[in-house]
Amino acid sequence: MERSTRAWMSIVVVQAMGSVWMCYAKQKAASHYISTLPALSRAHALPLALLCILRIVLIFDFRNVSVHVAHILLSIITAIHTMSEVFYYQAMSYGIVTVTEVTLNCFSVVVMLCFILSSSFNSSESDGNGKRPRKVIAKHYMEAEMLTPDEDDELVQAYKKWK
């Protein structure tokens, strides 16, 4: 389940980087905002960039609960902010870009909450030390006979002749 969740996070990182690129490449804010001020587009790119950085940290440090909590909170805040800009303030356009951002943020929150609350997240955390070293619990009884071969053995006789 961890691999699937990390794969989902990498997909969402690519999407967030695309949104940040759209905000900076199109300085007229045509992809997100109704107004064409470049400052609006750059202001919207900042929380998306922070969320992208947090997701990259989450991919590499996946067992850290505090990073998960920060990611969930920032995803919720970003989704609420985008929805308020679209529906309440009506400053952002209702389009594919904004709908995709909100949908992926909300789905990300659901996936992360399911993973944190799952038993695999909690059980793997207690086994984080890895395998413990093995202890010798039995000794082979024929070990002494293997170290000293019989005198009438062919190899022993051949060795004595060669010597």
Side-chain angles (χ1 to χ4, degrees):
M1 185 164 176
E2 181 176 338
R3 290 178 58 188
S4 301
T5 312
R6 280 185 177 186
W8 169 252
M9 289 308 299
S10 63
I11 291 169
V12 177
V13 164
V14 170
Q15 183 274 333
M17 288 186 338
S19 291
V20 170
W21 178 78
M22 286 174 67
C23 287
Y24 279 107
K26 298 179 181 180
Q27 288 289 312
K28 304 256 191 248
S31 62
H32 291 85
Y33 284 90
I34 294 171
S35 175
T36 58
L37 294 174
L40 288 175
S41 184
R42 288 191 304 266
H44 183 69
L46 179 64
L48 293 177
L50 290 175
L51 193 58
C52 184
I53 291 169
L54 188 62
R55 286 174 176 159
I56 291 171
V57 169
L58 184 64
I59 288 172
F60 289 109
D61 191 16
F62 204 70
R63 292 287 172 182
N64 194 342
V65 178
S66 60
V67 177
H68 275 287
V69 170
H71 169 255
I72 289 170
L73 290 177
L74 191 59
S75 293
I76 290 172
I77 290 170
T78 305
I80 290 173
H81 171 262
T82 305
M83 286 192 304
S84 68
E85 288 287 332
V86 170
F87 295 114
Y88 185 71
Y89 297 112
Q90 295 178 350
M92 289 181 106
S93 60
Y94 180 77
I96 300 239
V97 176
T98 53
V99 170
T100 304
E101 284 177 13
V102 171
T103 304
L104 290 180
N105 280 336
C106 293
F107 193 69
S108 241
V109 168
V110 170
V111 167
M112 288 300 135
L113 283 175
C114 288
F115 181 71
I116 287 176
L117 298 176
S118 72
S119 61
S120 65
F121 182 75
N122 297 329
S123 67
S124 296
E125 196 171 76
S126 62
D127 297 334
N129 297 335
K131 293 182 178 179
R132 61 181 175 88
R134 298 179 71 183
K135 293 181 182 177
V136 178
I137 55 173
K139 192 171 182 179
H140 200 275
Y141 290 110
M142 296 182 70
E143 189 174 278
E145 293 177 13
M146 290 174 62
L147 293 176
T148 55
D150 294 332
E151 289 293 323
D152 59 339
D153 191 20
E154 291 177 3
L155 290 175
V156 173
Q157 295 298 326
Y159 180 71
K160 285 183 180 180
K161 285 181 186 177
W162 177 75
K163 207 175 173 185

